[in-house]
Amino acid sequence: MATVIYSLCAFTSIMCLVLLWRSWRASGARLLFWSALCFGALSVNNVLLVLDRVVFPVEVDLGMPRLVAALIAVLLLLFGLIWEED
């Protein structure tokens, strides 16, 4: 059951990335750009989670790369929110 949940979370974040990117290309709103980048890093985080927990459960520890990807995602969104202040 955990495999299904991890995979659905990764799929959902990738779909959010795609939809935000398409919206940014259509409208040019800069906040959509930063949100898409954030969800790109969150997608990497979720894919690493699937690899860590499902594919390589014992051999490889991807805890630190997952934390780095999450930190990058938060920093990208924070930078976008500060940079695009109106």
Side-chain angles (χ1 to χ4, degrees):
M1 188 59 147
T3 304
V4 173
I5 293 172
Y6 294 148
S7 300
L8 286 175
C9 288
F11 177 74
T12 303
S13 62
I14 291 169
M15 288 308 298
C16 287
L17 163 66
V18 169
L19 292 173
L20 284 166
W21 190 263
R22 285 180 48 196
S23 295
W24 171 70
R25 298 283 290 166
S27 70
R30 301 273 305 165
L31 194 55
L32 287 173
F33 172 75
W34 292 109
S35 298
L37 288 181
C38 174
F39 270 94
L42 289 175
S43 298
V44 169
N45 183 16
N46 283 321
V47 169
L48 286 175
L49 177 65
V50 170
L51 291 175
D52 191 22
R53 300 293 181 185
V54 177
V55 179
F56 308 115
V58 178
E59 297 88 18
V60 179
D61 180 26
L62 296 174
M64 187 57 70
R66 286 190 295 126
L67 288 174
V68 169
L71 177 65
I72 289 171
V74 170
L75 289 176
L76 282 169
L77 189 58
L78 182 64
F79 180 79
L81 289 171
I82 292 170
W83 186 263
E84 299 302 321
E85 178 185 323
D86 289 330

